[in-house]
Amino acid sequence: MRTHYCGAVRREHLEQVVTLYGWVDRRRDHGGVIFIDLRDRSGIVQIVSDPERTPTAYLVADSLRNEYVVKIQGRVTQRPEASLNPRLPTGDIEIYADHIELLNAVQQQLPFQVSTAESESVREDLRLKYRYLDLRRERMRSNMNLRTQVIQTLRRYLEDQQGFMEIETPVLTRSTPEGARDYLVPSRVNPGEWFALPQSPQLFKQLLMVAGFDRYYQIARCFRDEDLRADRQPEFTQLDMEMSFMSQEEILALNEELICHLFKAVKGMDLPRPFPRLTYTESMARYGTDRPDTRFGLELVDVSDLFASSGFKVFANAIAQGGVVKVLSIPGGNAAISNVRIKPGGDLFQEASEGGAKGLAYIRVRDHSDIDTIGAIKDNLTPEHKAELLARTGAQSGDLLLFGADTTAIVNASLARLRLGVGHELQLIDAEKTNLLWITDFPLFEWNNDEQRLEALHHPFTAPHPEDLGDLKTARSQAYDLVYNGLEIGGGSLRIYQSDIQEQVFAAIGLSYEETHNKFGFLLEAFKYGTPPHGGIAYGLDRLVMLLAGEESIRDTIPFPKTQQARCLLTQAPASVDLKQLKELHIASKFSSETR
Amino acid sequence: MRTHYCGAVRREHLEQVVTLYGWVDRRRDHGGVIFIDLRDRSGIVQIVSDPERTPTAYLVADSLRNEYVVKIQGRVTQRPEASLNPRLPTGDIEIYADHIELLNAVQQQLPFQVSTAESESVREDLRLKYRYLDLRRERMRSNMNLRTQVIQTLRRYLEDQQGFMEIETPVLTRSTPEGARDYLVPSRVNPGEWFALPQSPQLFKQLLMVAGFDRYYQIARCFRDEDLRADRQPEFTQLDMEMSFMSQEEILALNEELICHLFKAVKGMDLPRPFPRLTYTESMARYGTDRPDTRFGLELVDVSDLFASSGFKVFANAIAQGGVVKVLSIPGGNAAISNVRIKPGGDLFQEASEGGAKGLAYIRVRDHSDIDTIGAIKDNLTPEHKAELLARTGAQSGDLLLFGADTTAIVNASLARLRLGVGHELQLIDAEKTNLLWITDFPLFEWNNDEQRLEALHHPFTAPHPEDLGDLKTARSQAYDLVYNGLEIGGGSLRIYQSDIQEQVFAAIGLSYEETHNKFGFLLEAFKYGTPPHGGIAYGLDRLVMLLAGEESIRDTIPFPKTQQARCLLTQAPASVDLKQLKELHIASKFSSETR
């Protein structure tokens, strides 16, 4: 039996005989003496095999190659002064191997180097196909350890400090209305009927509140059949929480404590509390987005009033049609950003158009408040308006003003993209900063132009703001998102807990009485049997671990992820199945006929 | 904000003002003074509302009915001597309510009584339809608390005492070959291809061993689309474990420590260690089953040799055809069990035939070793054989011998059923006993008569016994099951970790080279890159909690279970879906055309 993990052997074990198991990370032959870096999940330790001191073990050592699996017994010895390795936790010692047993060899060429001594960058498709080898490498090993630590820390805080109960909710269930497509599962014993995999445990956790389990959490697997996007996974993990009898303030406070506890445990970092807050309205006004990166300024400034009656029709018309003119003032932008980049075909123009903008007007501020821009803007700007524009943006000589003029949504989306891009380019973002903030007071609904109806901005169980019950259509909700350096890591809300208000919300989003009662009758009925006020939140764990690990893809935080094409390169799932299986499920694939 | 849970208020809080939230469990009007049993997930506390002391609160108290949700503030007070309730943890105190706030009322007749004061038995379909109310009741509340405690205890022991890492494995994956049917999930973005929901994380946990995470566990959701059986669920939860570099002995020892720790934590019970063990062969010989209830004797005795050349052809022929004659000796069976029950149409005959028996021969032992039975047996039994039969079974005057004579499988199955039934009926089973035992040395394969091929008794990744590598077809495996009072609660094995042995096993169960490499090529390849020796186990958590709770159905241990028809009575899943959804998934339902 193992006596120690490799990475745990220390000077305090000197002269002890230890038994270790692991993989040959590297083997070096130093003129007759063989050194083996032995690796297990905890780290690395140096094994020495000397033909004079341990002749039998030496023969085995000589035959070992990278990634062979071995059992090693030997005595912990002080390293000679010249071989001390302060970068290695085990760098003070080495182990003279008395016995080496080969447990399993490598039988074909490794697709890539595994050793911690290698920093070779490996193609992601190879890493995913041979995930079991990728997981042996330092980077993924450390990410998996972090993931395990994050989940354990969250669990224990919620259980021990806050009295939460972990309760499991079904995976085979009914479609939950979270906006994305469901994964469906045909029922064999109930022909013609289908389960759906949950997009979240939303309805069940609310029912658990009705059931009286007033503090629930779950590390919950969730499923969304989304169109292929950069960093989404068909299945992902969230920390899912729900609480009864708590106000929004109390819920936010509890969650700040949770997050602070996590950062302290995992990063040794003391986050200041309370976290800053922005209302949705203010966040959109100042940053053009509801997940602002507040590690830098470069805020959007609304200058609609200065251009409402301007002779520059592009601006005036946008305002006349209910839109806005907003501006981003880039310090030193004149030197950093050329006209070519701003004009059609340029990268900044492209960035703005991906936000929906049709053009990108600009002003360059020169000495003595002179400005350079196209004539149509310059000629239509009164000295008073120019002065006010410079005062309001704080623009100085050398600064570049970029304008958005369109609907509020397009202006915000375009300028928010520009702000982030420019912020990165000009290194305005302090990578050392950890900014967490709450966005609150979201609108309850947003207009879905495709379907010509209101839809819930979060989901239809979100409680309206109590001051806005008079007109639900324009109401704020009691929803809140937690944003971490510009990425949403959690979101939640107080929930509706009265069946009449729930029915009004279903009606507002265009659900008929029949649809409502067919899909959600059980929830409306549950609300009639003594439902407590409640609310909750869910955190995207894959993304949270990604941010804590400093990774850029959630695939690097998931043990066995799928590609952006929703495929597992290791097992080759999804795959074809026997016709017999489909027949038993009372279904047929239409794919072959589609492609004919 | 709540200051205390209801069930946690004690004499030490006397004179404190507390804020409680909960449900009205019961409301009693004692001539002007109203008593409310206030309930939350922790228990019950008595609230008093006196119109003279607290007139405003009294008006609210007067309007309350069962299951109303309320917030209560008041002072903790000593109960008068006459009202002390030693059966209630809060029975020393009561709370004079200064403020009562109604948070939500009950708006329609409850489908059943929820109060802890009610012991009404409720139909299961009603309980499942209104699961959120059922979960408020004492029984389910206590079962859910136990489930949470069991899972927390297991997690923490494995993490803190044994260095296990919790690692998540995919739910959308490839078919795993565990013998049952898979639930399938059509892929939208990979038309004509399917994910399967995992029957267990078997392959992924083995790959985690290849990846070097040498101690893995997971509370894993598993899925089996089985035919409807008494106590199966389409989705269930297992404690899934896998370990590298450990012998079978070491794995069993670690698991005994885990189980002992659990019983100590949950039941305060010290289980003796090591757990007893039976080989599969011995268990089948003595109990006719590989999951024997060893809380009582009534063992099967093989008497084939006494009847091999008997003139009673039923027995002699069974033996001649390779079968056996075994007997169950029932103490006092003459008085307890009438002939009618043993003969065709009787309940014991029926029990035996459900095990496959075509008849049920018997002998009644009388005084002075006289026997009563049919002439064909009696006339063909020599005095020596009779004496040997009585000696071997230990049968005394008044005892009843029941015989099985058929193939070994049928005799074992029939007599095992009779043994259990009679054991219960004659109250031979000591319900206070907790018998845990290991069954070991299972056969590697069993013969599947339908498909005319060998199949893996556990699964095809189970390692053969090292002494039996010469002939895999008859080999024992290194598998082990943990049996708790006659129910299997866990099972596992050492795994194959060499690709050549794995290929031999696939060949032995009739998989072609092509099938093997198409389905398991990735596993065989993984085994070539330095795979450690490893093994594991999985426990059925729903069943384990059921046994610890003293329940008889796993549905009573799962928060939101499905019926035996694989249906959720609460949400009405599975349900029909829009044709549009099926079209996007490139599939069609054949059900309507099937039924036409």
Side-chain angles (χ1 to χ4, degrees):
Chain A
M1 192 116 170
R2 165 171 46 213
T3 60
H4 297 79
Y5 274 109
C6 296
V9 187
R10 292 285 182 280
R11 202 190 283 266
E12 71 197 69
H13 305 114
L14 280 178
E15 297 309 316
Q16 289 184 24
V17 172
V18 296
T19 303
L20 309 176
Y21 290 87
W23 285 258
V24 174
D25 191 72
R26 217 161 40 137
R27 170 187 166 287
R28 285 159 295 148
D29 191 334
H30 280 203
V33 176
I34 292 173
F35 293 91
I36 292 164
D37 286 347
L38 187 69
R39 189 194 66 236
D40 62 22
R41 84 176 205 227
S42 71
I44 279 196
V45 69
Q46 177 162 292
I47 311 293
V48 190
S49 188
D50 179 334
E52 295 186 8
R53 287 176 60 166
T54 55
T56 327
Y58 179 81
L59 290 179
V60 185
D62 193 41
S63 74
L64 298 180
R65 297 293 176 271
N66 283 0
E67 299 309 312
Y68 279 28
V69 191
V70 293
K71 173 184 181 179
I72 283 177
Q73 282 179 309
R75 190 171 300 273
V76 181
T77 312
Q78 172 70 46
R79 285 198 192 194
E81 196 67 36
S83 323
L84 292 176
N85 182 349
R87 279 167 309 158
L88 208 61
T90 60
D92 286 347
I93 57 93
E94 57 194 8
I95 294 165
Y96 270 80
D98 295 311
H99 301 281
I100 303 181
E101 185 184 344
L102 173 61
L103 299 174
N104 216 343
V106 172
Q107 293 157 47
Q108 59 192 38
Q109 174 88 41
L110 294 164
F112 48 79
Q113 288 304 313
V114 170
S115 170
T116 54
E118 294 284 338
S119 55
E120 177 194 15
S121 156
V122 181
R123 272 177 23 221
E124 195 183 22
D125 60 340
L126 269 185
R127 291 177 51 208
L128 293 179
K129 178 170 180 190
Y130 300 97
R131 188 60 156 185
Y132 45 86
L133 294 178
D134 190 36
L135 287 169
R136 283 186 201 162
R137 305 205 313 161
E138 177 68 20
R139 172 181 171 193
M140 287 305 297
R141 198 152 44 85
S142 139
N143 288 352
M144 292 303 112
N145 283 331
L146 177 66
R147 184 182 180 101
T148 296
Q149 189 197 357
V150 166
I151 290 177
Q152 186 188 84
T153 303
L154 294 170
R155 276 190 197 291
R156 295 196 179 191
Y157 180 79
L158 290 174
E159 292 174 4
D160 298 345
Q161 306 297 316
Q162 298 288 355
F164 279 73
M165 276 175 77
E166 182 183 19
I167 304 180
E168 292 163 81
T169 55
V171 169
L172 291 171
T173 181
R174 260 188 97 135
S175 184
T176 45
E178 314 267 335
R181 280 190 203 83
D182 287 317
Y183 279 103
L184 294 184
V185 183
S187 167
R188 181 175 56 85
V189 297
N190 299 291
E193 299 191 312
W194 306 73
F195 293 104
L197 304 183
Q199 294 183 33
S200 87
Q202 183 63 33
L203 294 178
F204 286 103
K205 70 174 175 174
Q206 291 194 243
L207 291 170
L208 285 171
M209 295 305 105
V210 182
F213 296 103
D214 58 280
R215 291 189 167 201
Y216 143 94
Y217 88 94
Q218 190 180 192
I219 307 293
R221 203 71 61 85
C222 304
F223 305 85
R224 293 189 191 177
D225 185 8
E226 291 184 293
D227 282 319
L228 311 170
R229 275 211 264 170
D231 208 27
R232 297 292 179 106
Q233 286 281 311
E235 56 180 305
F236 56 96
T237 302
Q238 68 187 33
L239 167 63
D240 194 49
M241 297 163 58
E242 196 78 8
M243 292 139 273
S244 294
F245 309 122
M246 289 177 75
S247 66
Q248 176 169 327
E249 285 305 322
E250 288 163 349
I251 291 177
L252 297 192
L254 185 152
N255 276 276
E256 290 186 6
E257 285 170 35
L258 171 70
I259 294 296
C260 287
H261 179 80
L262 177 68
F263 273 75
K264 182 71 178 174
V266 168
K267 310 271 274 188
M269 196 184 281
D270 289 297
L271 295 179
R273 274 200 60 202
F275 296 169
R277 294 188 197 180
L278 285 176
T279 64
Y280 173 87
T281 306
E282 189 178 355
S283 180
M284 295 305 287
R286 290 170 53 190
Y287 301 99
T289 173
D290 56 4
R291 38 178 204 279
D293 189 336
T294 55
R295 289 175 297 174
F296 65 112
L298 214 67
E299 296 188 13
L300 280 53
V301 178
D302 192 327
V303 290
S304 304
D305 55 325
L306 304 185
F307 291 99
S309 51
S310 168
F312 182 49
K313 287 304 165 198
V314 175
F315 284 9
N317 286 348
I319 297 160
Q321 285 163 27
V324 289
V325 176
K326 292 171 82 168
V327 60
L328 201 61
S329 170
I330 300 167
N334 283 347
I337 295 168
S338 66
N339 282 4
V340 174
R341 298 179 58 196
I342 305 173
K343 290 183 172 169
D347 64 322
L348 295 187
F349 185 92
Q350 177 62 27
E351 197 67 45
S353 25
E354 278 168 25
K358 290 175 285 291
L360 182 56
Y362 65 93
I363 290 179
R364 294 188 182 275
V365 183
R366 305 299 186 188
D367 288 347
H368 314 298
S369 301
D370 270 0
I371 60 171
D372 264 358
T373 180
I374 54 170
I377 296 180
K378 194 164 180 175
D379 300 345
N380 284 299
L381 199 60
T382 65
E384 294 73 24
H385 280 171
K386 189 183 80 172
E388 175 64 17
L389 174 65
L390 297 181
R392 215 182 277 180
T393 56
Q396 307 287 326
S397 170
D399 295 357
L400 169 66
L401 304 182
L402 294 178
F403 288 86
D406 208 311
T407 65
T408 307
I410 287 177
V411 168
N412 281 337
S414 307
L415 293 189
R417 296 181 74 103
L418 287 174
R419 174 179 177 268
L420 261 192
V422 169
H424 279 286
E425 178 182 335
L426 302 187
Q427 300 184 307
L428 303 177
I429 304 174
D430 181 353
E432 296 299 301
K433 271 196 186 164
T434 298
N435 275 20
L436 284 144
L437 89 158
W438 293 107
I439 308 294
T440 63
D441 294 277
F442 286 83
L444 189 58
F445 299 121
E446 61 185 350
W447 181 250
N448 181 325
N449 217 23
D450 293 344
E451 303 185 14
Q452 287 288 306
R453 65 173 184 92
L454 289 177
E455 67 183 8
L457 191 75
H458 280 83
H459 53 57
F461 313 106
T462 306
H465 200 289
E467 293 168 10
D468 301 349
L469 286 174
D471 181 10
L472 284 187
K473 290 184 172 36
T474 61
R476 289 165 298 164
S477 69
Q478 300 187 72
Y480 33 82
D481 280 1
L482 186 60
V483 175
Y484 173 12
N485 291 350
L487 286 171
E488 182 212 321
I489 56 167
S493 62
L494 297 194
R495 322 299 186 186
I496 299 166
Y497 63 99
Q498 300 104 325
S499 52
D500 53 341
I501 296 184
Q502 187 65 69
E503 295 211 55
Q504 288 168 37
V505 166
F506 285 142
I509 59 173
L511 279 186
S512 71
Y513 179 87
E514 265 198 335
E515 284 171 296
T516 296
H517 284 264
N518 180 26
K519 282 191 174 169
F520 302 114
F522 66 96
L523 184 74
L524 293 169
E525 188 170 19
F527 283 174
K528 291 181 177 155
Y529 292 120
T531 295
H534 61 284
I537 194 167
Y539 293 92
L541 267 181
D542 310 304
R543 183 182 281 178
L544 182 57
V545 174
M546 175 188 91
L547 291 168
L548 291 169
E551 289 285 0
E552 294 190 345
S553 163
I554 59 171
R555 291 189 296 280
D556 291 322
T557 69
I558 297 173
F560 299 101
K562 300 195 173 55
T563 63
Q564 286 177 45
Q565 288 70 43
R567 188 173 280 287
C568 171
L569 296 184
L570 170 57
T571 62
Q572 292 301 329
S576 60
V577 295
D578 289 346
L579 278 180
K580 175 168 161 278
Q581 283 177 276
L582 300 188
K583 202 169 170 183
E584 282 188 330
L585 296 172
H586 324 282
I587 52 176
S589 174
K590 306 290 281 181
F591 177 56
S592 51
S593 55
E594 275 174 13
T595 52
R596 237 180 259 150
Chain B
M1 190 116 169
R2 166 170 47 212
T3 60
H4 297 78
Y5 274 109
C6 295
V9 187
R10 293 285 182 282
R11 200 191 284 267
E12 72 198 68
H13 305 115
L14 281 178
E15 298 308 317
Q16 289 184 24
V17 173
V18 297
T19 303
L20 309 176
Y21 290 87
W23 284 259
V24 175
D25 191 73
R26 217 162 39 138
R27 171 188 165 286
R28 285 159 296 148
D29 191 334
H30 280 203
V33 176
I34 292 172
F35 292 91
I36 292 163
D37 286 348
L38 187 69
R39 189 194 67 235
D40 62 24
R41 84 177 206 226
S42 72
I44 278 195
V45 69
Q46 177 162 292
I47 311 294
V48 191
S49 188
D50 179 334
E52 294 186 9
R53 287 178 58 167
T54 55
T56 327
Y58 179 81
L59 290 178
V60 185
D62 193 42
S63 72
L64 297 180
R65 297 295 176 268
N66 283 359
E67 299 310 312
Y68 278 27
V69 191
V70 292
K71 173 183 182 180
I72 282 177
Q73 282 179 309
R75 191 172 298 275
V76 182
T77 312
Q78 174 70 45
R79 285 198 193 194
E81 197 67 36
S83 323
L84 292 176
N85 183 349
R87 279 167 309 159
L88 208 61
T90 59
D92 287 347
I93 57 94
E94 57 194 9
I95 294 165
Y96 270 80
D98 293 313
H99 301 281
I100 305 182
E101 185 184 344
L102 173 61
L103 299 173
N104 215 343
V106 172
Q107 294 157 45
Q108 60 192 39
Q109 175 89 41
L110 293 164
F112 48 79
Q113 287 304 314
V114 171
S115 170
T116 55
E118 294 283 338
S119 54
E120 175 195 18
S121 156
V122 181
R123 275 175 22 221
E124 196 184 20
D125 60 340
L126 269 185
R127 290 176 51 209
L128 293 179
K129 178 171 179 189
Y130 300 97
R131 188 60 156 185
Y132 45 87
L133 294 178
D134 190 36
L135 287 169
R136 283 187 202 163
R137 306 206 312 161
E138 176 69 19
R139 171 181 171 194
M140 287 306 297
R141 200 151 44 86
S142 136
N143 287 353
M144 291 304 111
N145 283 330
L146 177 66
R147 184 182 180 103
T148 295
Q149 189 197 359
V150 166
I151 290 178
Q152 186 187 83
T153 304
L154 294 170
R155 276 190 198 291
R156 295 197 179 191
Y157 180 78
L158 290 174
E159 293 174 4
D160 298 344
Q161 307 296 315
Q162 298 289 354
F164 278 73
M165 274 176 78
E166 182 183 19
I167 303 180
E168 293 163 79
T169 56
V171 169
L172 291 171
T173 179
R174 261 187 96 135
S175 186
T176 45
E178 315 268 336
R181 278 190 204 82
D182 287 316
Y183 279 103
L184 294 184
V185 183
S187 167
R188 180 176 56 86
V189 296
N190 299 291
E193 299 191 312
W194 305 74
F195 293 104
L197 304 183
Q199 295 183 33
S200 86
Q202 184 63 34
L203 294 179
F204 285 104
K205 70 176 175 171
Q206 291 195 243
L207 291 171
L208 285 172
M209 294 305 106
V210 182
F213 295 104
D214 57 281
R215 290 188 167 201
Y216 143 94
Y217 89 94
Q218 190 180 193
I219 307 294
R221 203 70 61 83
C222 304
F223 305 85
R224 292 187 192 180
D225 185 9
E226 291 184 292
D227 282 319
L228 311 171
R229 277 211 264 171
D231 207 25
R232 296 292 179 107
Q233 285 280 312
E235 57 180 304
F236 56 96
T237 302
Q238 68 186 32
L239 167 62
D240 194 49
M241 296 163 58
E242 196 78 8
M243 291 139 274
S244 294
F245 308 120
M246 290 178 74
S247 67
Q248 177 169 326
E249 284 306 322
E250 288 163 350
I251 290 176
L252 297 192
L254 186 151
N255 276 276
E256 289 186 7
E257 286 170 36
L258 171 71
I259 295 295
C260 287
H261 179 80
L262 177 69
F263 273 75
K264 182 71 177 174
V266 168
K267 310 271 274 186
M269 196 184 280
D270 288 296
L271 296 179
R273 277 200 58 202
F275 297 168
R277 295 188 198 180
L278 284 177
T279 64
Y280 173 88
T281 307
E282 189 177 356
S283 180
M284 295 304 288
R286 290 169 54 189
Y287 301 99
T289 173
D290 57 4
R291 38 176 202 279
D293 189 336
T294 55
R295 288 175 298 175
F296 65 112
L298 214 66
E299 296 187 13
L300 281 52
V301 178
D302 192 327
V303 290
S304 304
D305 56 325
L306 305 185
F307 291 100
S309 51
S310 167
F312 181 50
K313 288 303 168 198
V314 174
F315 284 9
N317 286 348
I319 296 160
Q321 286 163 24
V324 290
V325 176
K326 292 172 82 169
V327 61
L328 200 62
S329 171
I330 301 166
N334 283 348
I337 295 168
S338 66
N339 283 4
V340 173
R341 297 181 57 197
I342 305 173
K343 290 182 172 170
D347 65 322
L348 294 187
F349 184 91
Q350 177 61 28
E351 196 67 43
S353 22
E354 278 169 23
K358 291 173 284 290
L360 181 55
Y362 64 93
I363 290 178
R364 294 188 181 276
V365 183
R366 305 300 188 188
D367 288 347
H368 314 301
S369 301
D370 270 1
I371 61 172
D372 265 357
T373 180
I374 56 171
I377 296 180
K378 193 164 183 174
D379 300 347
N380 285 300
L381 198 59
T382 65
E384 295 74 23
H385 279 171
K386 189 183 80 173
E388 174 64 16
L389 176 66
L390 296 182
R392 213 181 279 179
T393 57
Q396 308 287 325
S397 169
D399 295 356
L400 170 66
L401 304 181
L402 294 178
F403 288 86
D406 208 310
T407 64
T408 308
I410 287 177
V411 169
N412 281 338
S414 307
L415 293 188
R417 295 182 74 103
L418 287 172
R419 174 179 177 267
L420 261 192
V422 169
H424 279 285
E425 178 182 336
L426 302 186
Q427 298 183 308
L428 303 177
I429 303 176
D430 181 352
E432 297 298 303
K433 270 195 186 164
T434 297
N435 275 19
L436 283 144
L437 88 159
W438 293 107
I439 307 295
T440 62
D441 294 275
F442 286 82
L444 188 59
F445 300 120
E446 62 186 348
W447 181 249
N448 182 326
N449 216 24
D450 293 344
E451 302 184 13
Q452 287 289 303
R453 64 172 184 92
L454 289 177
E455 66 183 9
L457 192 76
H458 280 83
H459 54 58
F461 314 106
T462 306
H465 199 291
E467 293 169 11
D468 300 350
L469 285 175
D471 181 10
L472 283 187
K473 289 184 171 38
T474 62
R476 291 165 298 166
S477 68
Q478 299 186 74
Y480 33 82
D481 279 0
L482 186 59
V483 175
Y484 173 13
N485 290 350
L487 286 172
E488 183 213 320
I489 55 166
S493 62
L494 297 193
R495 322 298 187 188
I496 299 167
Y497 64 99
Q498 300 104 326
S499 52
D500 54 337
I501 297 184
Q502 187 65 68
E503 296 212 53
Q504 288 169 38
V505 166
F506 285 142
I509 59 173
L511 278 187
S512 71
Y513 179 87
E514 263 197 337
E515 284 172 296
T516 295
H517 283 263
N518 180 25
K519 280 190 174 171
F520 303 113
F522 66 96
L523 185 74
L524 294 170
E525 187 170 21
F527 283 175
K528 291 181 178 157
Y529 292 120
T531 295
H534 61 284
I537 193 166
Y539 293 92
L541 267 182
D542 310 305
R543 182 182 280 178
L544 181 58
V545 174
M546 174 188 90
L547 291 167
L548 291 169
E551 289 286 358
E552 295 190 345
S553 163
I554 59 170
R555 292 188 295 279
D556 291 322
T557 69
I558 297 174
F560 299 101
K562 301 197 171 54
T563 64
Q564 287 177 45
Q565 287 69 43
R567 189 174 279 287
C568 172
L569 295 184
L570 170 56
T571 63
Q572 292 302 327
S576 61
V577 295
D578 289 345
L579 278 180
K580 175 168 161 276
Q581 284 178 277
L582 300 188
K583 202 167 169 187
E584 282 188 329
L585 296 172
H586 323 283
I587 52 176
S589 173
K590 307 290 281 181
F591 177 57
S592 51
S593 54
E594 275 173 13
T595 53
R596 237 177 260 150

